[in-house]
């Protein structure tokens, strides 16, 4: 897993993207997963550049899509999510041991697709006169990674199936807002991201259920228990039922999410 660890540790975004795409391609083309190396979990640190400055999410200004600057701030926030998602995928590969080879191949694939998303968003940012790091960002996604680092089942439940699945709910509305202001280039990028993220959440769902079977746990009851244990709060509406079904959520899970309440976004 040395290659995966190096991808995780890379600090410069251009290096992380290039290394990630190379590693994901190598494994997908039949290179297989290299033998695991004994890397202490405490040694796994995501590489990141000095910028963007990380602040509490409440300190981030609203992003108004009616101006190029507002759209740039919005796309920067998405790019930051995708950058963190690269690290999350490689962290899963490096941190969790003893799983089938398919687990590591799946998350290397996810890392590669997240790297492509980040690259597309950065290119669009540059068209709008900005670079990644020009705006402040928050670290909520990685904070959840740290909270779930102790257990792969909890990671699969709460990162792909909660945080990333939330993207399935909100992205159609983002696309509609960008269409209203005529930003078709950004729309195409978000459409690609949405299609890929359905697959990422589906991968998380597959491995969550695999781990529940291994531990003789009911996946629906366990998901609800973890939601309450980690105080994730009410589910905001609307829920993208179609996308969540495509990502592996069953009717009982969607009904549970619908009853958790929450305000429309």
């Amino acid at each position: 897993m040395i290659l995966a660890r190096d991808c995780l540790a890379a600090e410069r975004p251009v290096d992380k993207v290039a290394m990630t795409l190379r590693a994901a391609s190598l494994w997908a083309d039949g290179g297989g997963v290299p033998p695991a190396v004994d890397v202490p979990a405490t040694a796994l640190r995501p590489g990141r550049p000095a910028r963007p400055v990380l602040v509490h999410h409440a300190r981030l200004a609203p992003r108004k899509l009616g101006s190029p600057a507002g759209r740039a701030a919005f796309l920067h926030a998405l790019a930051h999510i995708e950058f963190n998602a690269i690290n999350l995928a490689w962290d899963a590969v490096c941190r969790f041991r003893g799983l089938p080879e398919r687990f590591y191949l799946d998350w290397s694939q996810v890392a590669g697709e997240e790297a492509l998303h980040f690259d597309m968003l950065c290119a669009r940012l540059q068209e709008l006169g900005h670079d990644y790091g020009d705006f402040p960002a928050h670290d909520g996604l990685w904070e959840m990674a740290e909270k779930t680092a102790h257990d792969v089942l909890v990671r699969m439940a709460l990162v792909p199936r909660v945080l990333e699945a939330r993207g399935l709910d909100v992205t159609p509305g983002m696309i509609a807002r960008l269409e209203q202001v005529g930003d078709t280039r950004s729309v195409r990028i978000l459409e690609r991201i949405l299609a890929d993220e359905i697959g990422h959440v589906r991968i998380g769902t597959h491995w969550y259920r695999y781990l529940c079977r291994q531990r003789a746990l009911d996946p629906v009851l366990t998901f609800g228990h973890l939601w309450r244990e980690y105080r994730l709060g009410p589910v905001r509406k609307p829920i993208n039922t179609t996308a969540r079904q495509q990502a592996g959520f069953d009717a009982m899970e969607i009904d549970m999410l619908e009853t958790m309440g929450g305000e429309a976004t």
Side-chain angles (χ1 to χ4, degrees):
M1 303 290 180
I2 293 176
L3 186 56
R5 184 192 61 189
D6 290 345
C7 291
L8 177 65
E11 295 182 357
R12 296 176 65 232
V14 64
D15 294 336
K16 190 181 294 288
V17 167
M19 293 168 64
T20 292
L21 293 177
R22 186 164 60 248
S25 177
L26 174 66
W27 292 6
D29 290 343
V33 178
V37 294
D38 189 16
V39 181
T42 54
L44 295 175
R45 293 288 183 270
R48 58 180 66 187
R51 298 169 66 244
V53 175
L54 299 180
V55 301
H56 191 273
H57 66 85
R59 293 180 56 194
L60 296 174
R63 306 173 189 103
K64 299 182 183 299
L65 302 188
S67 68
R71 289 197 297 278
F74 167 73
L75 294 170
H76 185 278
L78 296 183
H80 184 65
I81 290 171
E82 299 295 334
F83 186 84
N84 274 297
I86 301 170
N87 283 335
L88 275 164
W90 285 129
D91 184 84
V93 170
C94 294
R95 183 176 301 277
F96 301 117
R97 313 291 176 79
L99 290 155
E101 183 176 279
R102 185 74 249 170
F103 176 89
Y104 305 102
L105 292 172
D106 280 349
W107 289 106
S108 70
Q109 172 194 326
V110 170
E113 291 176 354
E114 304 290 20
L116 285 174
H117 299 167
F118 177 76
D119 203 39
M120 289 188 294
L121 288 164
C122 286
R124 181 66 182 126
L125 270 174
Q126 289 176 344
E127 291 174 350
L128 294 171
H130 292 277
D131 289 306
Y132 178 61
D134 284 356
F135 299 89
H138 71 81
D139 210 24
L141 191 57
W142 191 256
E143 287 171 1
M144 181 60 82
E146 293 175 337
K147 291 177 182 178
T148 60
H150 65 289
D151 188 334
V152 62
L153 185 149
V154 180
R155 172 71 64 85
M156 293 297 106
L158 300 188
V159 173
R161 304 192 82 237
V162 174
L163 299 187
E164 293 188 74
R166 182 62 189 143
L168 307 185
D169 299 334
V170 302
T171 301
M174 297 175 183
I175 290 172
R177 291 166 63 196
L178 289 168
E179 287 177 332
Q180 289 174 354
V181 298
D183 190 346
T184 57
R185 294 176 70 85
S186 297
V187 165
R188 299 287 87 81
I189 294 171
L190 265 65
E191 288 175 339
R192 165 66 186 274
I193 290 174
L194 177 59
D196 288 346
E197 293 297 340
I198 290 172
H200 300 174
V201 177
R202 186 165 56 241
I203 287 170
T205 294
H206 169 81
W207 290 109
Y208 169 69
R209 291 191 177 142
Y210 168 88
L211 291 158
C212 283
R213 288 195 301 271
Q214 294 290 305
R215 303 183 194 185
L217 296 172
D218 181 283
V220 177
L221 294 178
T222 301
F223 189 58
H225 169 74
L226 290 171
W227 192 290
R228 293 186 295 273
E229 179 182 349
Y230 284 81
R231 300 181 180 182
L232 299 176
V235 180
R236 292 185 178 182
K237 304 299 190 302
I239 292 173
N240 189 342
T241 300
T242 299
R244 282 183 180 262
Q245 289 173 335
Q246 293 171 345
F249 282 74
D250 63 24
M252 291 180 64
E253 290 173 318
I254 291 174
D255 286 346
M256 180 179 67
L257 293 172
E258 291 281 6
T259 61
M260 285 179 177
E263 298 178 357
T265 55

